[in-house]
Each structure stands twice: as structure tokens, then as C-alpha cells.
Amino acid sequence: MKNLLIVPTRSRPHKAVEFYEAFKEYTSDDTTLCFAIDDDDDSGYDQNMFPDVVWEVNPRLRLGGTLNLVANKYCNDYNYLSFMGDDHRVRTLNWDQTLTSDPVEYLVAYGNDLIQGASLPTAVLMDSSIVRKVGHMCPPSLKHLYLDNYWLYLGEALRSIRYYDDVIIEHMHYSVGKSDKDALYEELNSNEQFGQDQPAWIQYRDNDFLIDLAKLR
């Protein structure tokens, strides 16, 4: 089993350090960590600090665009592709091996983020063949929000979704007091962002999803 964990991060080098430390403590050798950063980000990411990490430096495409770019680049090299935000922290030993312990076709798996629990995969692992066949890890029209709604919807439609309540991938989100609200949180959770991504998700779900689903059947 080979898994690439893609972690887009912007203006938060301190969170990248914290993420890496938790990742190294709890992750098996089956997973490679990839930090994806923007080429206009001058906040001080030190790529030399983590010699065992894959670094992807690209123009800013927002979360959805960055995920799709990196996922398509590596989908032929890994059995699984996964996503976490730089504010997730893995807390369960060998979480990656547990999430792949039931390798159904087109697996979509997730753990307990201690906020949404089973209701949404705010962090996700999926079979890389999904990206190869559909062409994306998330709908290209989505900038940042509703990606987790898509992963849940996809996994349920394929009957391939697996949730592990005892795999803790804690979401250290400001909304529950686990981190400070910074400028990036302000931008990503603004009314403007919801106003862009909510109709885009509804449009994709109600019109384009069945087209993509047919590629997997």
C-alpha cells in the first residue's frame, strides 16, 4: 500500500511544523507526506527542515485547484491519495493502515475529526483510481468549501465509504476554540466564499455528478 497525503498550507509555517511532528509520530512508512504551497507565499516555509517530505510549489489555485493539480500529478504513482488541512492532527497510530484495511473498489475512507465525526470527511483517503478515471480529487468548480460534502456523496453513491470512529484525525479549527482565528480563516470562511462555493456545489451535485459517476461504473 502506497499513500500520498497532500496537505495544502499557506501563511502558516508553524502549523506545518506541528502537522509534521504529529504525522511522524503516528503514521506508518506506507504514507508519504506532501506539503503543497503557493509560489507567492513568502511566510517562511523551510523546505530543508523536512527532507523526507515532497514539496509541491505552484501558483495559487486555492484548496480545490491545488488538490486536483497535485493529485493528478501523482495518481499513477500511489495506490491511495489523501487530504488533510494544516490544522488537522493525526492522533491514532498507523491511521493510514486502518483506513485502508478494507480495500474495496473505489475506497473513500475517513476518521473522526472530533467535530463532524461521521457526518463529514473533513480529512479523507481515496483510491487513486478515482482520480485517474474522473480526472479530479474534488469538483474543479469548488474553491475551498463543500469538498467534504463531495467526498461523502461520492463514497455513498459508490457504496465504498468507510468511517472509522476510533481513528482520530483531530481538526484544530478556530470555530471550536482549538486555534486562533487568523486572516486565512477569515478569507476561507467568509460569506463571499460561501456565496461562491455553495451554488457551485449544488450545480455540480445536481447536474455533473452523474456524468462523473458513470466514469466509475
Side-chain angles (χ1 to χ4, degrees):
M1 186 274 285
K2 292 176 62 180
N3 171 44
L4 181 69
L5 172 56
I6 306 167
V7 181
T9 179
R10 180 178 175 86
S11 68
R12 294 169 169 170
H14 62 292
K15 286 188 183 288
V17 173
E18 294 169 4
F19 186 99
Y20 177 83
E21 290 172 347
F23 171 86
K24 292 299 290 185
E25 182 175 357
Y26 291 107
T27 309
S28 80
D29 292 337
D30 294 332
T31 294
T32 299
L33 174 59
C34 171
F35 280 131
I37 61 176
D38 301 326
D39 61 8
D40 66 344
D41 188 343
D42 59 0
S43 58
Y45 287 91
D46 182 1
Q47 298 181 38
N48 296 319
M49 183 180 294
F50 314 126
D52 54 346
V53 168
V54 173
W55 287 90
E56 276 291 323
V57 184
N58 294 288
R60 191 183 189 195
L61 299 174
R62 307 296 297 276
L63 175 58
T66 294
L67 268 182
N68 286 335
L69 176 69
V70 178
N72 275 288
K73 180 175 180 178
Y74 292 100
C75 64
N76 292 312
D77 301 324
Y78 291 87
N79 306 105
Y80 300 99
L81 298 167
S82 45
F83 156 77
M84 294 182 194
D86 63 8
D87 57 354
H88 283 93
R89 299 289 179 268
V90 291
R91 308 295 192 197
T92 300
L93 186 65
N94 295 332
W95 61 273
D96 50 341
Q97 294 182 341
T98 301
L99 293 189
T100 57
S101 61
D102 184 12
V104 297
E105 186 178 26
Y106 302 136
L107 175 67
V108 179
Y110 64 113
N112 185 354
D113 74 348
L114 301 182
I115 301 176
Q116 298 292 344
S119 64
L120 277 179
T122 62
V124 72
L125 176 146
M126 66 170 58
D127 190 319
S128 59
S129 65
I130 295 174
V131 176
R132 289 195 295 271
K133 293 184 178 182
V134 176
H136 55 72
M137 192 169 180
C138 59
S141 58
L142 299 182
K143 302 294 186 183
H144 185 85
L145 304 173
Y146 295 92
L147 276 61
D148 39 16
N149 297 80
Y150 164 71
W151 295 321
L152 181 66
Y153 200 71
L154 175 67
E156 289 179 341
L158 293 168
R159 298 183 179 179
S160 62
I161 196 141
R162 299 292 184 270
Y163 169 68
Y164 295 87
D165 190 67
D166 57 349
V167 173
I168 306 302
I169 303 174
E170 186 172 9
H171 199 183
M172 308 296 289
H173 202 263
Y174 79 90
S175 63
V176 290
K178 294 186 176 183
S179 63
D180 295 329
K181 188 175 184 179
D182 58 19
L184 189 61
Y185 275 136
E186 290 271 7
E187 174 188 350
L188 301 179
N189 295 276
S190 65
N191 290 333
E192 180 182 2
Q193 192 64 62
F194 276 97
Q196 293 174 357
D197 281 342
Q198 186 179 55
W201 162 238
I202 294 171
Q203 162 67 25
Y204 173 83
R205 182 195 65 193
D206 295 348
N207 295 281
D208 300 328
F209 176 71
L210 289 179
I211 297 173
D212 284 340
L213 190 62
K215 300 173 185 177
L216 301 171
R217 290 178 167 169

